[in-house]
Amino acid sequence: MVAYDISITTENGTKRLSKVAKICLKYGQRVQNSVYECNIDTLNYKKLRNELIDTIDCSYDSVRFYNLGKNYENKIIHFGSKTINNVDSPLIL
C-alpha cells in the first residue's frame, strides 16, 4: 500500500502530484485520493519506490509504504460506497 502527500503550493507541486499518481497507477489501483493498493513482487516494489523517490521533493512531500505481507486480504476491511476490485482477480473489459 502506498500513501502520499504532495505539496501543491510549492513550485511544480501540481506537476509532481500528477506524476506521482501516474506512477502509482502503473503498479496498483487507487482506493482513496492519495492511497493505492499494489500487489507487487520485490522487484516491482523497488522500482515503484525508486520512481517515487526520484519524483517527489523530499523537502516538502512525503510518501509512505505499508507492506501488508501474506494474507493481506484478511487485513483489509472496507466500509462505504466505493467498490474496489481485487487486484488479483481477472479484469474483463
Side-chain angles (χ1 to χ4, degrees), residues 3 5 16 20 24 38 41 52 56 64 67 75 78 88:
D5 183 22
R16 285 193 317 275
V20 166
C24 289
C38 306
D41 59 20
L52 291 175
I56 68 169
R64 297 178 66 99
N67 297 306
K75 297 177 184 177
H78 173 79
D88 288 331

Side-chain angles (χ1 to χ4, degrees), residues 18-86:
S18 177
K19 195 169 182 181
V20 166
K22 287 177 185 177
I23 291 168
C24 289
L25 277 174
K26 287 190 325 187
Y27 294 91
Q29 70 176 340
R30 177 178 271 164
V31 293
Q32 293 286 322
N33 282 341
S34 299
V35 180
Y36 291 76
E37 287 179 358
C38 306
N39 189 9
I40 53 179
D41 59 20
T42 303
L43 178 62
N44 282 316
Y45 168 71
K46 289 179 181 179
K47 287 180 182 179
L48 168 63
R49 186 185 65 200
N50 290 337
E51 284 185 56
L52 291 175
I53 290 170
D54 290 344
T55 302
I56 68 169
D57 182 337
C58 290
S59 301
Y60 303 104
D61 308 330
S62 66
V63 176
R64 297 178 66 99
F65 299 93
Y66 297 92
N67 297 306
L68 300 177
K70 294 185 185 225
N71 301 317
Y72 68 90
E73 301 94 341
N74 299 327
K75 297 177 184 177
I76 299 171
I77 301 171
H78 173 79
F79 297 98
S81 62
K82 185 176 180 183
T83 59
I84 303 300
N85 296 323
N86 182 341

